[in-house]
Amino acid sequence: MTSFESPEAEIPSIADGPPPAKAATAFALAALADWLFYDQTAGLSVVVFALALACASLVANLNHLDRRRLVIAAVIVVAGLLPVLEEFNAASLVFAVLALGTALALTTNPDLDNVAKGAAALVDLFLVSPFRLFRDVIGAFNLPSLTRGFILWFVPLLLGTVFVFLFVAANPVLEEWISQLNPGNPAASLSLGRTLFWILALALVWPFIHVKWRRYANLVANKTQYAVKDPAEPDNLIDLFGAGTILRSLIPFNLLFSVQTILDAIYLWGNAALPADITYASYAHRGAYPLIITALLAAAFVLVAMRPGGPAERSRVIRPLVYVWVGQNVLLVISSMLRLDLYVQIYLLTYWRVAAFVWMLLVAVGLILIVVRIALRGSNEWLIRANLLVLTFALYACALINFAAVIADYNVSHSREALGSGVNLDMDYLIQLGPQALPAIDRAFQLRTANPLLVSRRNSLVEQQRQQMASWRSWGFRGWRLQRFLDRQQANAPG
């Protein structure tokens, strides 16, 4: 055995194996998730589940906690859940997840002493650890060769499938191609949704119950030592993002992204004629969010694949594939900017435009920070810390902003009906914004004649709001404030 430590040596497990108590706890949390979320509207239920997960993780790892950080971790969890309590949306969900992961890392990871290691720990927790459930289950049967083959292909197939779904959601041309290849659904009578939900729930909660962290040692000091591994040392760690997995991932990923890149070059940049049943507006508009999510997932994968001392940094085959893939992601972002430009000339404020604006602002700040780092000869840790700080403030602000009310109020105030010029107010879109747009919808009715159909749809939103507030699972502070507004409005109404 050699005397040096592997750069990615796994910190000894909190337990030598997954005991029955931890497995039972994971199943209990999955059952709670089923009761709270399956076929239900999310809201206060997210807060309930997050607190249950935090308490279960605390009990499961009670003997191995850093009690000095418990108070800080509790404050982080509470702060992360406040946006969900205000209103459940994508941004507030991100903060809840990050708060839970940060609290877990602070209290159970003894190797956490700087921002870079903290970011690496969160990436490992959210991108790698959920797959550990399958590895642990297979490893329980002592089948190492099957486990290794499963890991080598699981990440490429899983992420490849996610990218395909995102591209189909973003591109109506791809959606039409897929629909033409669809042979039908012979398994429609089988109810697999709940089974998949349980598997996903177990995979997500397992890292919080059976905690394992990787230790990233000093790569500079031990650079030459890590290059050679003692053949007598057993290889017990199966790396989900090893050289074989990364290579098997990058080749199909580049091919998938090239399809979207070519279609954008033909239809978005080249203004070629689209198929008869697809409008140019739908092609340009649908890609905003899916392409942003795709770019974020790709960036996360690149960060993991190109980690310091990892196989991608030393491989002459992997490095060019990473460069090509990053270049294609840059083209995706540029395409999203063009989509925003096309719509800002015609339409008023929309969710898509707000999201695209925030994304491009973050990208611009990130590029400026990279230039500053180069000019000041800063470190990568400084760059990570600065970008995380900017991203945190932006997401936290977005989580607390009622975008539906802001968009509706802006569109009413800047419409032709209010100013006498500009774009006509799209009442259908206002109603699609949901109950939070009701104050602006009522103001719009004062500016134009409301036909009975619009009044009926407005009343449907009121009923939807009432039903949402009737269930404690979907309760939110923002919805409560809206309900108070509607109650006052009803009380002051004539008759």
Side-chain angles (χ1 to χ4, degrees):
M1 298 291 291
T2 56
S3 59
F4 59 86
E5 182 188 35
S6 173
E8 294 177 337
E10 200 170 83
I11 293 177
S13 171
I14 287 180
D16 292 336
K22 289 190 175 183
T25 302
F27 273 98
L29 288 171
L32 179 62
D34 179 271
W35 179 63
L36 290 174
F37 303 126
Y38 190 77
D39 208 16
Q40 299 286 345
T41 303
L44 187 62
S45 53
V46 176
V47 178
V48 174
F49 182 78
L51 292 176
L53 178 60
C55 292
S57 179
L58 180 69
V59 174
N61 307 292
L62 190 60
N63 296 330
H64 304 273
L65 296 175
D66 187 346
R67 288 172 172 78
R68 298 170 301 175
R69 297 177 174 177
L70 280 178
V71 175
I72 298 177
V75 172
I76 291 175
V77 170
V78 172
L81 294 181
L82 283 179
V84 181
L85 193 63
E86 162 70 15
E87 175 73 7
F88 174 76
N89 50 45
S92 61
L93 178 62
V94 168
F95 268 98
V97 172
L98 288 178
L100 290 173
T102 303
L104 181 70
L106 282 175
T107 54
T108 62
N109 190 348
D111 197 40
L112 198 67
D113 54 11
N114 57 55
V115 175
K117 290 183 179 180
L122 290 181
V123 170
D124 179 76
L125 176 65
F126 295 128
L127 296 183
V128 179
S129 293
F131 303 137
R132 187 158 48 80
L133 172 68
F134 308 99
R135 188 189 70 180
D136 290 345
V137 171
I138 295 176
F141 295 95
N142 195 21
L143 299 174
S145 59
L146 177 61
T147 305
R148 182 175 297 278
F150 177 82
I151 295 300
L152 283 175
W153 286 105
F154 184 77
V155 172
L157 292 177
L158 179 63
L159 288 182
T161 303
V162 171
F163 288 138
V164 169
F165 277 111
L166 288 172
F167 283 142
V168 170
N171 196 321
V173 175
L174 289 176
E175 183 181 46
E176 183 176 275
W177 291 353
I178 296 296
S179 64
Q180 292 175 355
L181 296 175
N182 183 16
N185 188 11
S189 59
L190 299 177
S191 181
L192 299 178
R194 207 162 208 143
T195 301
L196 294 176
F197 178 88
W198 272 72
I199 294 174
L200 177 62
L202 287 171
L204 293 177
V205 304
W206 183 245
F208 287 83
I209 304 302
H210 190 59
V211 179
K212 291 184 179 180
W213 298 106
R214 294 179 187 273
R215 176 179 292 122
Y216 293 87
N218 189 334
L219 296 176
V220 177
N222 302 284
K223 182 177 180 181
T224 57
Q225 291 176 318
Y226 298 149
V228 180
K229 178 179 176 63
D230 187 350
E233 184 177 355
D235 188 9
N236 296 321
L237 177 62
I238 300 174
D239 194 353
L240 281 168
F241 290 92
T245 301
I246 294 174
L247 184 60
R248 287 167 174 79
S249 300
L250 287 174
I251 294 176
F253 289 175
N254 273 295
L255 294 176
L256 287 175
F257 276 59
S258 65
V259 173
Q260 175 66 30
T261 302
I262 293 173
L263 289 177
D264 273 352
I266 295 174
Y267 295 117
L268 190 62
W269 300 90
N271 295 320
L274 287 162
D277 56 342
I278 299 176
T279 64
Y280 189 77
S282 66
Y283 183 88
H285 192 219
R286 280 180 48 176
Y289 274 160
L291 293 183
I292 289 175
I293 296 173
T294 302
L296 290 174
L297 288 176
F301 180 87
V302 169
L303 287 175
V304 176
M306 297 293 290
R307 61 190 184 273
E313 280 204 340
R314 301 186 297 267
S315 174
R316 296 182 179 179
V317 177
I318 293 177
R319 185 184 291 269
L321 291 174
V322 170
Y323 290 157
V324 172
W325 197 37
V326 171
Q328 294 201 68
N329 278 278
V330 172
L331 291 178
L332 289 182
V333 176
I334 295 176
S335 296
S336 296
M337 296 173 64
L338 178 59
R339 283 171 166 84
L340 176 63
D341 181 66
L342 291 172
Y343 270 81
V344 78
Q345 301 174 25
I346 304 172
Y347 300 104
L348 294 171
L349 197 60
T350 65
Y351 267 125
W352 304 99
R353 192 164 300 117
V354 171
F357 174 77
V358 173
W359 166 249
M360 288 187 293
L361 182 62
L362 290 174
V363 171
V365 173
L367 293 175
I368 294 174
L369 290 174
I370 291 175
V371 174
V372 172
R373 187 194 71 82
I374 295 175
L376 299 179
R377 300 181 183 273
S379 63
N380 286 332
E381 182 180 349
W382 176 90
L383 180 62
I384 294 174
R385 183 168 58 249
N387 277 283
L388 285 177
L389 186 63
V390 172
L391 180 62
T392 300
F393 279 117
L395 289 179
Y396 200 86
C398 290
L400 296 175
I401 295 175
N402 188 348
F403 282 113
V406 171
I407 291 171
D409 184 72
Y410 178 90
N411 287 356
V412 171
S413 300
H414 294 79
S415 63
R416 181 185 294 272
E417 288 82 353
L419 301 178
S421 62
V423 181
N424 290 325
L425 184 61
D426 188 352
M427 289 298 300
D428 289 334
Y429 184 74
L430 285 185
I431 293 176
Q432 291 175 11
L433 290 175
Q436 293 295 332
L438 281 169
I441 292 174
D442 291 342
R443 191 155 60 92
F445 283 166
Q446 299 174 1
L447 299 175
R448 56 182 293 178
T449 302
N451 60 56
L453 178 59
L454 289 177
V455 174
S456 175
R457 296 176 66 185
R458 181 262 180 198
N459 293 336
S460 297
L461 290 181
V462 175
E463 177 64 18
Q464 179 183 339
Q465 167 67 15
R466 185 192 66 79
Q467 293 178 359
Q468 181 176 348
M469 295 305 297
S471 173
W472 68 268
R473 291 186 178 90
S474 56
W475 186 92
F477 186 47
R478 185 174 299 169
W480 176 78
R481 296 199 306 269
L482 175 61
Q483 190 61 47
R484 289 189 62 192
F485 168 83
L486 296 175
D487 292 341
R488 290 195 304 267
Q489 185 185 56
Q490 183 178 3
N492 296 330

